Amino acid sequence: MDRPTEASPAVVHDPEAFRAACDRARAGGRRVALVPTMGALHEGHLALMNEARRRVGPGGLVAVSVFVNPTQFGPAEDFSRYPRELDADVARCASVGVDLVFAPSAASMYPAGDQTRVRVGALAAPMCGVTRPVHFEGVATIVTRLFALAGPCVAVFGRKDFQQLRVIARLARDLFLPVEVVGLPTVREADGLALSSRNRYLSPADRARATAIPAALRAARALYAQGERGTMALLDVVSRGLAGSVDGVDYIELRDADELSIPGTPLPDDARAVLAVAVKIGATRLIDNTVLGEPDVTLD
Ligand code: PAF
């Protein structure tokens, strides 16, 4: 276990050492919170860590995993160029009082002979599941492994990856895992762009165009607030808001916020419907969403 300074979290690379550290904490009466990440940490991740601390209290153990998980990337995706900067990530974790960082190798998380995958059904099929067919199986598999090692009572994720959050909450429920899966509101730049480790791929001109994404979601929220309940009209305002600013649209979807099924139109007044987009700006794929029918402190 490396522990560079008193204020820095301990850093472990070996899965069994991570398990042992979490076991020791629980044996000592500490609650364990886990924040799974792929690193390249930003303010959005730090908000997850702060929430993890709030949930387990000052005496709890807040663990952050930093692992660019190969199984959730398709062959043509950005696995090899995904930013890896462990020292800076550990410093960011230290800045919010994280206790333990788990940074395993791919070989240790997927050892030779590994043949088990976790697959969630209908929730993983639409939206990102269409253009990224292996993605959620990879996410579900690595998150299940991380839960098995850490045994956390709570795990904190961002709502920007809305479908991912639904998939993880469902796997925890279906597998009877004793972990509370918590989703936190998206953290945004001042101009509304959702924070993402992939924003750093954007050139300044592409970064400027990306503000069309939150603007389009805001326009739909405004239309909804004026009483529009027709799903086509709500989708159309997003589509028009993005046109001319993005280079490709993977999807613009309106779905029931719990089951991700397609809601009837007009939306009933008690509907909670997630309006979600995945677009390309240059070569960069960005996602964002808002839930109509509930307040969105980040967009309203
Ligand atoms: O959201 C992410 O960063 C990843 O998908 C996760 C949950 C850490 C699994 O690799």
Side-chain angles (χ1 to χ4, degrees):
M1 207 184 281
D2 322 323
R3 188 186 277 277
T5 71
E6 273 306 299
S8 288
V11 179
V12 295
H13 303 283
D14 173 50
E16 287 309 326
F18 179 52
R19 188 203 296 279
C22 294
D23 282 353
R24 269 196 308 276
R26 275 193 310 280
R30 301 171 75 188
R31 287 159 55 81
V32 174
L34 177 66
V35 181
T37 81
M38 297 205 301
L41 302 176
H42 51 64
E43 288 296 323
H45 294 111
L46 301 190
L48 307 183
M49 296 169 201
N50 285 329
E51 179 63 15
R53 172 61 67 203
R54 201 184 68 74
R55 298 255 170 177
V56 295
L61 180 105
V62 173
V64 172
S65 59
V66 175
F67 179 58
V68 185
N69 172 37
T71 62
Q72 70 187 73
F73 290 80
E77 295 181 2
D78 57 344
F79 173 69
S80 52
R81 75 172 180 134
Y82 199 88
R84 289 158 172 87
E85 45 189 38
L86 184 60
D87 290 348
D89 285 340
V90 171
R92 289 176 197 123
C93 288
S95 75
V96 292
V98 165
D99 300 299
L100 181 61
V101 171
F102 176 46
S105 66
S108 68
M109 290 309 283
Y110 295 100
D114 163 67
Q115 45 179 281
T116 301
R117 292 291 178 271
V118 178
R119 190 177 59 78
V120 175
L123 281 174
M127 302 161 67
C128 291
V130 173
T131 46
R132 306 188 74 194
V134 299
H135 179 65
F136 288 119
E137 184 174 296
V139 169
T141 299
I142 194 63
V143 169
T144 303
R145 287 176 192 206
L146 292 168
F147 285 177
L149 289 171
C153 60
V154 61
V156 191
F157 299 86
R159 283 177 56 140
K160 181 176 77 66
D161 297 282
F162 193 87
Q163 187 177 13
Q164 167 173 283
L165 178 63
R166 300 302 314 129
V167 165
I168 292 168
R170 184 60 59 99
L171 82 80
R173 189 184 99 175
D174 290 351
L175 299 177
F176 300 105
L177 302 181
V179 55
E180 183 185 0
V181 175
V182 173
L184 279 203
T186 301
V187 177
R188 298 179 182 280
E189 303 276 10
D191 62 9
L193 183 67
L195 295 194
S196 163
S197 306
R198 291 188 168 98
N199 289 353
R200 66 179 68 188
Y201 299 153
L202 299 168
S203 68
D206 287 350
R207 170 66 185 77
R209 289 195 288 142
T211 57
I213 303 169
L217 295 176
R218 263 199 197 105
R221 289 193 67 80
L223 194 61
Y224 184 87
Q226 287 158 25
E228 178 63 64
R229 295 293 181 269
T231 57
M232 289 311 290
L234 292 162
L235 290 165
D236 192 53
V237 78
V238 178
S239 176
R240 281 185 284 114
L242 294 172
S245 296
V246 302
D247 298 310
V249 174
D250 267 8
Y251 62 79
I252 301 169
E253 296 243 24
L254 190 55
R255 297 240 167 199
D256 172 78
D258 293 319
E259 295 302 325
L260 304 184
S261 52
I262 295 179
T265 186
L267 295 171
D269 269 343
D270 62 351
R272 285 175 57 253
V274 60
L275 186 49
V277 304
V279 298
K280 285 268 179 58
I281 300 206
T284 305
R285 184 176 182 278
L286 298 176
I287 59 173
D288 203 350
N289 70 81
T290 185
V291 177
L292 302 179
E294 68 178 36
D296 187 334
V297 288
T298 76
L299 283 171
D300 287 342

